[in-house]
Structures are given as C-alpha cells and as structure tokens.
Amino acid sequence: MAILLRRLRAATGLSAAEVSRQTELSASKVNRMENAEIGFYMDDLEKLLDFYRVSAKRRVEIMDIARHAEQRGWLRMNTPNLPQDWQTWVDFEAEASGLMQYEPLVIPGLLQTPEYAKAIIEATGNGLSADEVDALVTSRMARQGVLSKSKPLELKVIVGEGVLSQPFGARGAHARQLRRLVDSAGQDHVSIQILPTEAGLHPGLAGSFTILEYDDEASLVLLENKVSSLFLDEPEHIEIYAQTWATLTELCPGPEESVELLTAAAKRFS
C-alpha cells in the first residue's frame, strides 16, 4: 500500500508538503504512510484517492488491498499472476500462529519496508518486469497484515549482523528500514535477534529457513532457493531445524541488546 501511495503522489509531481496543504493531512503523516512507518485510516486513504483523482476501477482495487489484506486467501483470489510457490506460502503463513525465521543475508519479508522489498525483488528476480515487481511488492506488503490482526502472528527472527550495514538505495531508505525493525521489535508479538559476525562456525551456515507453528501443534519448515521452495513436515526434519534455531538463539545477544544494535545502526545511516 505504501508504495502505491508514493507512486500516486509522484505522478502528480507534488511534494508531500504540497499534498499536505491541499488535503489537510500533515506532511509527516503523508511521508510516514508512504514509507509504511504507520498505518492509516480509511478516511485518510479515501481523501488521498480523491485528491489524486484515481479512476473508479483502480480505486476499488486499492480499497480492496486496504480492507482485505489480513483475510486468508485474499492474495490468492486477487493476484493470480503471482508464482505458485508464493501463493502456497501465503496460505501456510496466514494460518500460522507462530513463525521463526533465520535470515543471514536479508531482512525478513514481514519486516521489510516497500523500498527494501522492491530493491531485494529487483536484485534477485532475474529480469522480472516492472509490473511483476510491483505485484510481488504489493503482495509482500499485504502479507504483513498477519502482524496486525486481532490475534497477530507471533514472529521471531534472527538476522545476520552484516545485513544491518548492507547498502541499498538512498541513505535515508536504509535508515527507514532499520527504524522499521526497531519499531517492530517494540511490539509484544515480535522478537528480533542479531547474529554476530564473530559467531564463528555454526549450523545456520547451511542457509536460511523458516519454521511455522500452528495452534494444533503441527509445524512446517520452508526452505527456498532461486527456482523452487521446499516444504518439510516430517517430525525428524522439523526437529533438526528446531535444534538449529535453539543453537542460533544462544549465539545471539538477547532481544533488548539486539534492539540497541539496530538503533545504533539506524543512527549511523540517518
């Protein structure tokens, strides 16, 4: 949603301050909405769509994104051009009660800003068209609704320390992404730990993975590469990754100290 609002404003050639003066929304609010740093009220969204003179058809599509991003199956029904593995993952993720994700090289998708998501998808997408990139970015932002449901997903992530200084986009974009991590870690249902570069050899060197947990005590592991996704549900396989997760958490500073590292990194790029 944020990237859509930013593009709509850019198409008018107006700055956030100019939009603010003409819509009675503060420039700060416009900027923070466009960078996914805050949520938004539907009446604010409607005011912006009116101001940008969005067509009736496009308006319906955008309002659907805003209203139904949290609903299971919405992405499958409305974005048939997404890859099948992506669609399958959306379904598994929407039903989960907990998610543990280890990412040594990138920031996890549920915590990405639109700017970072776009940069990552473009860098790893092997020649995706602009429309395909936009569809994937929109899908990723909509998926983040699992963190703001009435019963939100319990999210725990471990991120490699090198990710914090990995350059992308403008300096301000980097700082916004790091602040997003700090803000997210302030929520009771989100935990972020940073794996130090000096951790040495460890079982996480085999690559990233995600463990999904469900209310019925079932679990699922996702492994991804550039051409396919592998979903594991055998208990012995899940136990291997659960043990790996436990080892990695012991190698990391605790969540509070990790947030201090994130805060310091955000200041360096501000």
Side-chain angles (χ1 to χ4, degrees):
M1 178 59 65
I3 197 169
L4 289 174
L5 292 178
R6 192 162 63 251
R7 287 191 169 189
L8 287 172
R9 179 179 57 76
T12 68
L14 298 174
S15 68
E18 290 169 323
V19 171
S20 170
R21 285 194 294 270
Q22 298 187 56
T23 61
E24 298 182 353
L25 296 173
S26 72
S28 173
K29 174 179 279 190
V30 173
N31 276 319
R32 297 187 73 190
M33 289 169 65
E34 290 184 0
N35 291 308
E37 293 179 354
I38 60 171
F40 53 85
Y41 294 105
M42 297 303 289
D43 56 348
D44 287 342
L45 177 59
E46 290 179 339
K47 186 179 295 185
L48 288 172
L49 296 181
D50 286 342
F51 178 70
Y52 296 143
R53 298 183 180 179
V54 174
S55 69
K57 180 180 178 181
R58 185 62 174 143
R59 184 188 186 96
V60 169
E61 293 173 352
I62 293 173
M63 295 301 288
D64 276 347
I65 292 174
R67 291 192 183 101
H68 304 302
E70 295 181 7
Q71 295 182 6
R72 180 182 183 274
W74 175 85
L75 290 170
R76 176 172 296 282
M77 291 186 292
N78 288 279
T79 53
N81 57 323
L82 293 180
Q84 183 60 41
D85 282 348
W86 189 294
Q87 296 280 20
T88 301
W89 176 245
V90 166
D91 287 347
F92 283 137
E93 189 177 68
E95 285 293 305
S97 57
L99 187 152
M100 295 177 287
Q101 188 167 12
Y102 166 60
E103 284 287 3
L105 300 177
V106 299
I107 292 167
L110 290 178
L111 301 176
Q112 292 177 2
T113 63
E115 294 166 300
Y116 185 86
K118 185 174 186 291
I120 288 294
I121 291 169
E122 287 179 335
T124 61
N126 288 3
L128 292 172
S129 69
D131 287 344
E132 289 171 328
V133 170
D134 285 348
L136 291 172
V137 172
T138 299
S139 172
R140 186 164 295 177
M141 295 304 102
R143 281 173 48 210
Q144 295 178 0
V146 297
L147 297 176
S148 57
K149 297 188 296 185
S150 56
K151 185 180 179 182
L153 179 77
E154 293 286 335
L155 177 65
K156 297 179 180 180
V157 302
I158 296 175
V159 179
E161 185 177 15
V163 175
L164 306 187
S165 56
Q166 186 179 58
F168 90 93
R171 188 180 183 88
H174 198 149
R176 285 190 288 273
Q177 174 60 79
L178 293 174
R179 287 199 299 269
R180 169 68 182 276
L181 294 179
V182 173
D183 292 343
S184 297
Q187 301 177 83
D188 292 339
H189 56 281
V190 177
S191 171
I192 301 174
Q193 289 182 269
I194 306 301
L195 182 65
T197 54
E198 63 269 21
L201 301 181
H202 55 77
L205 293 175
S208 62
F209 62 87
T210 302
I211 302 174
L212 287 166
E213 298 179 323
Y214 297 87
D215 287 333
D216 61 2
E217 299 185 359
S219 296
L220 184 72
V221 171
L222 168 68
L223 305 177
E224 294 182 283
N225 60 42
K226 289 184 73 68
V227 296
S228 65
S229 299
L230 178 64
F231 299 94
L232 306 177
D233 61 1
E234 294 294 333
E236 59 269 29
H237 296 155
I238 293 170
E239 179 60 24
I240 289 171
Y241 284 95
Q243 291 176 1
T244 298
W245 177 267
T247 299
L248 293 174
T249 58
E250 292 176 359
L251 293 172
C252 295
E256 290 185 5
E257 187 176 346
S258 292
V259 170
E260 292 176 1
L261 293 173
L262 289 169
T263 301
K267 289 179 180 178
R268 288 198 300 271
F269 287 95
S270 296

